[in-house]
Amino acid sequence: MSRGLPLPHRRRVLAAGVIGGITCAAVAVGAAMAGQDGSGASDKASTKAASTISCPEVTGSLPEIPAQAKAEVDRNLALLRTQLDEANKRLASSVGQGGPNFVQNAILGPLKDKRRSTLDRIAISIGRHAGKPQGLDALAECSLGTGAGSGTGAGGSAPATAAPSAPGSGGEGGAQDGSGAGSGAGTGAGSGSAQSISCPDVASKIGAVPAAAQAEVDRNIALLQTQLDEANKRLASSVGQGGPNFVQNAILGPLKDKRASTIDRIRISISRQGATAPSGLDALAGCSLASG
């Protein structure tokens, strides 16, 4: 049809066609890019929503709490919440850090260790005045999920209430913290590198131990050494993992918490026999890196 038009008219028709084609192509490309951006934003939002730590409920699993233990139990329940909040903050601020096992090694693992120690203190507090609840350590492990969990009763479904044991039973024995990291001997085994973990000596600071408490004290002293050996193995196997604070957050921090719990059991086992428990043992919980 354009052949019958004068030359200027034909040129205008061809120009309009070219411009229209370019416009359509630009619109199509823009729509495709917008779709990709929207998809990426959706993926990021989905990842962020899924990256929340959830922990089993604790409050509903406790037996009736004696009035004398209420304040200490409440403090430790609040500590569970603080631990969870701090872990979720760390999770949010460390996106993209470390290798495929970073979250487990640097966040979930240490959180489990801290919760186990706190749960142990709750059980000990109740056990001083009533039957000590058993099985609370099963509530220590947390996981990634959608929506914030709870370590104090604000989320998750509660397991059956922990069954109490008879007051004064040997429940404070070392078996509850078998995966910890600490020291009775005061020095660490070689880590296979230039550094190893060194901890203050505990056995020499205890003093006289009542005969009735000796076996339990010995178990916990042995546990401190087992904890130290395991921490040094972890130190050797995690070289190069995580950021600059990995060792402190994933190894030394949990080590201190577990040593504090084990040392507390030593003190309790001595005082239970009517003897004066040594003071200042809690200052021996912290460990550090040493060369050689």
Side-chain angles (χ1 to χ4, degrees), residues 196-282:
S196 61
I197 299 173
S198 177
C199 301
D201 179 60
V202 174
S204 63
K205 304 295 192 299
I206 294 175
V209 178
Q214 188 67 56
E216 188 170 352
V217 169
D218 288 346
R219 281 196 302 271
N220 282 291
I221 291 295
L223 175 60
L224 288 171
Q225 185 60 53
T226 299
Q227 292 166 346
L228 175 62
D229 293 342
E230 291 176 350
N232 270 309
K233 288 179 183 177
R234 180 135 193 239
L235 180 67
S237 65
S238 61
V239 173
Q241 291 186 19
N245 297 320
F246 176 81
V247 172
Q248 178 61 45
N249 293 334
I251 301 177
L252 292 180
L255 162 62
K256 180 178 180 180
D257 292 337
K258 291 176 180 181
R259 280 176 59 84
S261 180
T262 304
I263 290 171
D264 191 45
R265 288 198 297 272
I266 291 174
R267 180 184 59 78
I268 291 171
S269 63
I270 294 174
S271 61
R272 187 188 293 132
Q273 305 304 324
T276 301
S279 60
L281 290 182
D282 53 346

Side-chain angles (χ1 to χ4, degrees), residues 64-103:
E64 183 176 354
I65 301 172
Q68 305 96 313
K70 188 71 166 63
E72 188 171 355
V73 169
D74 286 345
R75 279 196 301 271
N76 282 291
L77 289 174
L79 179 58
L80 289 172
R81 165 57 69 182
T82 299
Q83 292 166 350
L84 176 59
D85 291 343
E86 290 176 347
N88 270 310
K89 288 178 182 177
R90 178 114 196 268
L91 182 67
S93 65
S94 62
V95 173
Q97 292 184 19
N101 297 321
F102 175 80
V103 172

Side-chain angles (χ1 to χ4, degrees), residues 13-219:
V13 170
L14 290 173
V18 171
I19 294 172
I22 293 174
T23 303
C24 290
V27 170
V29 171
M33 293 179 65
Q36 289 179 353
D37 289 345
S39 175
S42 175
D43 289 345
K44 289 179 181 178
S46 175
T47 300
K48 185 174 290 186
S51 297
T52 306
I53 299 173
S54 177
C55 299
E57 185 195 28
V58 173
T59 304
S61 299
L62 297 178
E64 183 176 354
I65 301 172
Q68 305 96 313
K70 188 71 166 63
E72 188 171 355
V73 169
D74 286 345
R75 279 196 301 271
N76 282 291
L77 289 174
L79 179 58
L80 289 172
R81 165 57 69 182
T82 299
Q83 292 166 350
L84 176 59
D85 291 343
E86 290 176 347
N88 270 310
K89 288 178 182 177
R90 178 114 196 268
L91 182 67
S93 65
S94 62
V95 173
Q97 292 184 19
N101 297 321
F102 175 80
V103 172
Q104 179 61 44
N105 291 336
I107 301 177
L108 291 180
L111 176 60
K112 178 181 178 180
D113 295 338
K114 292 178 181 179
R115 282 175 59 85
R116 183 188 287 116
S117 295
T118 305
L119 291 166
D120 192 42
R121 287 194 292 271
I122 290 174
I124 290 172
S125 299
I126 296 173
R128 291 187 187 124
H129 308 284
K132 181 182 176 183
Q134 300 296 309
L136 291 183
D137 54 347
L139 307 177
E141 188 167 5
C142 303
S143 60
L144 290 180
T146 56
S150 168
T152 61
S157 59
T161 301
S165 64
S169 66
E172 282 98 31
Q176 293 183 358
D177 267 352
S179 63
S183 167
T187 58
S191 64
S193 66
Q195 290 184 316
S196 61
I197 299 173
S198 177
C199 301
D201 179 60
V202 174
S204 63
K205 304 295 192 299
I206 294 175
V209 178
Q214 188 67 56
E216 188 170 352
V217 169
D218 288 346
R219 281 196 302 271

